[in-house]
Amino acid sequence: MPEGVREKPLAQKTLYTGRILNLRVDDVELPGGKRTIREVVEHSPAVGILAVREDGKALLVRQYRYAVGEDMLEIPAGIVEKDEPFDETARRELQEEVGYFPERLMRICSVYNSPGFCNELMELYYATDLRPSKLKEDYDEFISVVPIDRGDVPALISGGKIRDAKTLAALSWWVAFADNN
Amino acid sequence: MPEGVREKPLAQKTLYTGRILNLRVDDVELPGGKRTIREVVEHSPAVGILAVREDGKALLVRQYRYAVGEDMLEIPAGIVEKDEPFDETARRELQEEVGYFPERLMRICSVYNSPGFCNELMELYYATDLRPSKLKEDYDEFISVVPIDRGDVPALISGGKIRDAKTLAALSWWVAFADNN
């Protein structure tokens, strides 16, 4: 693709404005002049946190995910609230979901989870120096904490226990790049 | 969360039926009896392919993503067509997007990209023994191929060049787990 090739919006229509997402369908002009539609799910940014305790275990959470109909094993994560700095969201969610405050919080990178149709940006953090500190969970969250060892990661992946993209990314990053905490 | 805790659907309403996704809003009963809504984006399954050539380079693609308004560097990926086996989708997309047929295709795992609101499942593959073979791209895709070395991955991540979750997962997996192809 030559640099600068873009798709030009011709018309935007919001079809649904909801609680955690909106749906927009746009008419766009492709490079070369053809027209098509683009379906766009608008979603607030979010954070995901790879939190590693002093005993070397990463703290995952298990919860039922209605959209996929499965119990999922995931890194703690959550939606950034209005005017909330991303690192504050990370500290809040970690206290809500696993009951720890991170004295050290390192930004890994930020990624789109589904750039083909959704603008949700997720900032990934690596949290260490954890001290116990519990905040109340959201009323609609039912979560259990699952500590795992770094040595368990290959078997968790190959055994199909990791079913969440951000968690696969965070755990692979942990094995590949993180210092042995 | 105790095993078996689920959310019970009370009513389902499809608000939009589209080209690559549908939108459903369900009334559900939470464990304990409270009620809430769940917004669900229905999306066909997809594949992503970490393809590594004999010279040791992984073949990424650069393309404009309308939903996020950015040029993205990603592993080749695409939606599974009706009745198409996942591994066939992987072989087809690789030929369309980067112009290679993989003589070896290994399944890494399958993950949900956004399990909080979307049922899109993505099957990740590791493709090697590549031989040139080009299929025509989709009419609305404008793609350039970007080969990268395994040694480039840390700087690509820390430099903010990887903005796609499945690509972060695949490249971290490559560094952490794949044999040196």
Side-chain angles (χ1 to χ4, degrees):
Chain A
M1 188 193 64
E3 286 295 326
V5 169
R6 295 287 182 277
E7 298 175 4
K8 185 177 158 193
L10 301 173
Q12 301 194 334
K13 188 156 62 169
T14 296
L15 299 187
Y16 173 78
T17 303
R19 198 178 71 165
I20 67 161
L21 58 85
N22 306 323
L23 175 65
R24 225 177 63 214
V25 179
D26 295 1
D27 295 317
V28 306
E29 185 180 306
L30 298 173
K34 280 190 181 165
R35 295 181 176 196
T36 189
I37 62 155
R38 293 293 183 205
E39 296 155 323
V40 178
V41 173
E42 299 177 337
H43 189 289
S44 295
V47 302
I49 311 117
L50 171 66
V52 179
R53 222 165 38 185
E54 273 186 58
D55 63 1
K57 288 181 194 291
L59 302 173
L60 302 187
V61 295
R62 184 183 296 282
Q63 64 183 317
Y64 182 71
R65 289 297 205 169
Y66 181 83
V68 302
E70 291 184 20
D71 277 346
M72 299 275 290
L73 198 56
E74 300 176 42
I75 56 171
I79 295 174
V80 176
E81 292 180 358
K82 192 173 177 318
D83 298 328
E84 189 179 39
F86 282 47
D87 57 344
E88 280 307 305
T89 310
R91 291 188 189 93
R92 177 176 57 73
E93 288 287 348
L94 203 60
Q95 293 172 86
E96 289 178 7
E97 296 198 347
V98 302
Y100 284 95
F101 178 92
E103 297 288 353
R104 287 180 58 209
L105 194 62
M106 186 194 107
R107 185 179 168 280
I108 299 174
C109 64
S110 60
V111 289
Y112 295 104
N113 284 322
S114 300
F117 65 90
C118 181
N119 70 352
E120 183 195 12
L121 185 72
M122 173 161 289
E123 193 110 345
L124 278 175
Y125 288 95
Y126 179 46
T128 52
D129 289 6
L130 309 182
R131 67 171 162 79
S133 171
K134 180 67 184 159
L135 292 177
K136 198 172 175 323
E137 286 166 38
D138 288 340
Y139 77 96
D140 62 350
E141 289 186 328
F142 300 84
I143 285 173
S144 61
V145 180
V146 180
I148 63 157
D149 286 314
R150 189 145 81 158
D152 296 338
V153 173
L156 286 169
I157 294 174
S158 64
K161 303 295 185 194
I162 303 301
R163 302 272 287 163
D164 171 53
K166 68 178 172 302
T167 304
L168 174 64
L171 294 180
S172 297
W173 180 90
W174 188 30
V175 172
F177 301 116
D179 294 326
N180 209 327
N181 187 66
Chain B
M1 187 195 66
E3 286 296 325
V5 169
R6 295 289 182 278
E7 298 176 3
K8 185 178 155 191
L10 301 172
Q12 301 195 334
K13 188 156 61 170
T14 296
L15 298 187
Y16 174 78
T17 304
R19 200 178 68 165
I20 68 162
L21 57 84
N22 306 323
L23 175 64
R24 224 176 64 215
V25 179
D26 296 0
D27 295 318
V28 305
E29 185 180 306
L30 298 173
K34 278 190 183 162
R35 294 182 178 194
T36 190
I37 62 153
R38 292 292 183 208
E39 295 155 323
V40 178
V41 173
E42 299 176 336
H43 189 289
S44 296
V47 301
I49 311 117
L50 171 66
V52 179
R53 221 165 37 183
E54 270 186 62
D55 63 1
K57 289 182 192 291
L59 301 173
L60 302 188
V61 294
R62 184 181 297 282
Q63 64 183 316
Y64 182 71
R65 290 297 206 168
Y66 182 82
V68 303
E70 292 184 22
D71 278 345
M72 300 275 291
L73 199 56
E74 301 177 43
I75 57 170
I79 295 175
V80 176
E81 292 181 357
K82 192 173 179 316
D83 298 328
E84 189 179 38
F86 282 47
D87 58 344
E88 280 307 305
T89 310
R91 291 188 190 92
R92 177 177 56 74
E93 288 287 347
L94 204 60
Q95 293 173 85
E96 288 177 6
E97 296 197 349
V98 302
Y100 284 96
F101 178 93
E103 296 289 352
R104 286 179 60 209
L105 195 62
M106 187 193 106
R107 187 178 165 280
I108 299 173
C109 64
S110 60
V111 289
Y112 294 104
N113 284 321
S114 301
F117 65 90
C118 181
N119 69 353
E120 184 196 13
L121 184 71
M122 173 163 289
E123 193 111 345
L124 279 175
Y125 288 94
Y126 179 45
T128 51
D129 289 5
L130 308 182
R131 66 170 163 79
S133 170
K134 181 66 184 158
L135 292 178
K136 197 172 176 321
E137 286 167 36
D138 288 342
Y139 78 96
D140 62 350
E141 289 186 328
F142 299 84
I143 286 172
S144 61
V145 179
V146 180
I148 64 158
D149 285 315
R150 188 144 84 160
D152 296 337
V153 173
L156 286 169
I157 294 174
S158 64
K161 303 296 184 193
I162 304 300
R163 302 272 288 161
D164 170 55
K166 68 179 173 300
T167 304
L168 174 65
L171 294 181
S172 297
W173 181 88
W174 188 31
V175 172
F177 299 117
D179 294 326
N180 208 325
N181 188 62

